[in-house]
């Protein structure tokens, strides 16, 4: 993505209808043929997220359906008949969202991976499975060609907004009070008959904790570990040879580790603080956020972000309850 800077990305997958260790134990298979999602990480500028949802996905889904392959908006993996229903994952752990935060209009397609317990004309139904993917790929290319002018304009806006618009850190799915339930057809494992089940509808997404996009980040501690982390994500930085002094409001966070995909960072809080003079010592890392990966750096390095590295060991232990956070956003 960073080498070629594509305007659009399609992340193609299959999803197994037979989930042996989860849903199958409750006696059901999922029953779908193609589903689509777009980048929905809250740090992706909101206008771009809205454009992909309102303008691109409906046309893409309609084209695929008209070609004889039933298609719909992505439904999060169903592993239990008792779970709420959500849309796709919100964090940067999936390629769709990572590509979106690298300046592409980014989409996911999942087609049906049939159960290997059945008998098909081709090995594991590979002939039909390939055809499903081809239908989706061709429909995607046709949709992009049809909307070429709008897509180019939106990509240009997206890349400009990366350095200017506020960054939303947190997002979560909640119950939709106006649409509390959703009916989904699953296939019974024992007789393969379709059965419509009612699930709580939690597909409403709330994004919050928006902060102004900083100009830079100053990293004053754990320098070796953070330098290695920045290098892994191709985020450029410089090492200060002389100290700097800045007037800013430091943050303090409580240690806490979370592996939740959809909620805020449990155990992390930001007490109120006042502005003070902060000395950035020589040897600190200075990250200029005007680079293409600048917005990504903010999302990965703020403990409030749902994609923060500080959700996970050993980075979570770098947060100290009664000490100013060692990464300073510079406005």
């Amino acid at each position: 993505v960073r080498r070629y800077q594509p305007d659009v990305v399609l992340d193609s997958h299959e999803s197994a209808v037979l989930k042996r260790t989860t849903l199958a134990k409750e006696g059901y298979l999922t029953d779908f043929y193609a589903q689509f999602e777009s980048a929905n990480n809250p740090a992706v500028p909101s206008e771009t997220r809205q454009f992909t949802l309102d303008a691109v996905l409906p046309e893409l889904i309609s084209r695929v359906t008209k070609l004889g392959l039933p298609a719909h908006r992505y439904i999060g993996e169903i592993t239990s008949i008792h779970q709420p229903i959500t849309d796709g994952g919100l964090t940067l752990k999936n390629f769709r969202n990572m590509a979106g935060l690298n300046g592409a209009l980014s989409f996911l397609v999942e087609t049906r991976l049939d159960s290997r317990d059945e008998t098909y004309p081709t090995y594991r139904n590979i002939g039909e499975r390939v055809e499903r993917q081809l239908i989706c790929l061709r429909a995607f290319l046709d949709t992009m060609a049809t909307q070429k002018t709008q897509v180019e304009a939106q990509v240009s806006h997206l890349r400009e907004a990366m350095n200017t618009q506020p960054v939303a850190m947190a997002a979560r799915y909640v119950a939709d009070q106006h649409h509390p339930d959703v009916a989904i057809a699953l296939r019974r494992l024992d007789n393969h008959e379709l059965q419509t089940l009612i699930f709580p509808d939690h597909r409403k997404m709330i994004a919050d904790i928006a902060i102004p996009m900083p100009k830079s980040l100053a990293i004053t501690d754990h320098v070796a570990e953070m330098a290695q982390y920045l290098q892994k994500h191709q985020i450029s930085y410089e090492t200060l040879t002389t100290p700097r002094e800045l007037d800013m409001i430091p943050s303090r966070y409580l240690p806490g580790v979370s592996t939740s995909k959809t909620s805020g960072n449990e155990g992390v809080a930001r007490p109120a603080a006042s502005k003070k003079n902060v000395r950035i010592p020589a040897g600190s890392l200075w990250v200029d956020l005007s680079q293409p990966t600048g917005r990504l750096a903010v999302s990965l390095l703020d403990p409030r972000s749902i994609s923060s590295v500080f959700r996970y060991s050993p980075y979570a232990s770098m947060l100290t309850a009664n000490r100013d956070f060692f990464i300073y956003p510079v406005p």
Side-chain angles (χ1 to χ4, degrees):
V1 170
R2 292 183 187 148
R3 179 178 179 183
Y4 294 105
Q5 286 291 294
D7 287 348
V8 293
V9 167
L10 180 65
D11 186 15
S12 297
H13 289 260
E14 288 183 305
S15 181
V17 296
L18 174 61
K19 305 181 189 303
R20 296 181 185 276
T21 62
T22 54
L23 187 62
K25 291 184 176 181
E26 297 178 356
Y28 291 91
L29 304 158
T30 57
D31 190 76
F32 78 95
Y33 288 89
Q35 53 182 3
F36 292 89
E37 185 64 290
S38 55
N40 60 359
N41 181 268
V44 175
S46 58
E47 184 177 322
T48 297
R49 285 188 276 121
Q50 208 60 49
F51 172 77
T52 56
L53 281 176
D54 295 344
V56 180
L57 285 184
E59 180 179 344
L60 181 56
I61 290 168
S62 175
R63 283 179 180 272
V64 170
T65 301
K66 287 177 181 178
L67 290 170
L69 186 65
H72 55 79
R73 172 88 184 275
Y74 183 89
I75 294 174
E77 186 175 14
I78 300 176
T79 58
S80 171
I81 61 174
H82 306 293
Q83 73 176 62
I85 296 300
T86 66
D87 289 320
L90 299 171
T91 75
L92 295 174
K93 291 193 295 183
N94 64 59
F95 178 57
R96 160 179 49 88
N97 282 333
M98 183 63 84
L101 209 57
N102 275 270
L105 299 190
S106 181
F107 301 88
L108 165 75
V109 60
E110 274 195 359
T111 55
R112 178 190 186 100
L113 173 57
D114 300 287
S115 169
R116 65 173 180 263
D117 292 346
E118 305 298 322
T119 301
Y120 306 101
T122 57
Y123 174 71
R124 292 203 60 184
N125 209 25
I126 190 65
E128 187 172 339
R129 286 163 51 200
V130 167
E131 184 59 28
R132 291 170 193 156
Q133 283 279 317
L134 287 172
I135 288 172
C136 294
L137 293 172
R138 289 165 180 152
F140 181 77
L141 292 172
D142 288 343
T143 300
M144 293 301 106
T146 301
Q147 299 194 15
K148 182 176 185 293
T149 301
Q150 302 96 304
V151 164
E152 288 178 340
Q154 190 58 231
V155 169
S156 178
H157 170 78
L158 167 64
R159 291 173 180 173
E160 180 180 344
M162 287 288 193
N163 292 325
T164 58
Q165 288 196 2
V167 187
M169 293 292 164
R172 64 190 185 279
Y173 288 119
V174 297
D176 189 341
Q177 301 301 322
H178 300 290
H179 193 270
D181 301 313
V182 57
I184 297 176
L186 300 181
R187 197 168 292 277
R188 291 185 60 90
L189 190 58
D190 54 1
N191 58 19
H192 282 204
E193 290 182 359
L194 281 177
Q195 180 179 343
T196 298
L197 302 179
I198 304 300
F199 293 84
D201 189 344
H202 286 207
R203 291 175 293 177
K204 181 179 179 180
M205 189 190 85
I206 295 178
D208 53 18
I209 316 182
I211 66 169
M213 180 65 185
K215 293 289 194 301
S216 306
L217 295 176
I219 304 175
T220 61
D221 202 357
H222 305 287
V223 170
E225 297 95 326
M226 298 313 300
Q228 185 181 48
Y229 183 74
L230 294 173
Q231 291 164 16
K232 286 180 179 179
H233 285 281
Q234 299 177 21
I235 298 169
S236 300
Y237 64 90
E238 62 175 303
T239 302
L240 296 182
T241 57
T242 57
R244 299 183 185 183
E245 291 194 2
L246 303 170
D247 289 329
M248 60 180 63
I249 300 176
S251 302
R252 293 191 175 190
Y253 299 99
L254 303 176
V257 177
S258 169
T259 57
S260 169
K261 293 183 180 179
T262 57
S263 63
N265 193 348
E266 292 86 345
V268 175
R270 182 187 183 187
S274 57
K275 183 177 288 189
K276 69 178 185 180
N277 184 265
V278 176
R279 187 173 188 272
I280 310 298
S284 299
L285 306 181
W286 189 269
V287 184
D288 182 348
L289 298 178
S290 63
Q291 62 184 293
T293 51
R295 199 173 184 89
L296 174 65
V298 175
S299 295
L300 293 175
L301 298 179
D302 191 306
R304 296 164 294 177
S305 167
I306 59 170
S307 300
S308 174
V309 66
F310 299 106
R311 286 172 166 263
Y312 306 102
S313 298
Y315 298 93
S317 61
M318 295 179 182
L319 301 182
T320 306
N322 297 312
R323 183 181 175 188
D324 289 349
F325 185 48
F326 62 93
I327 300 179
Y328 297 90
V330 181

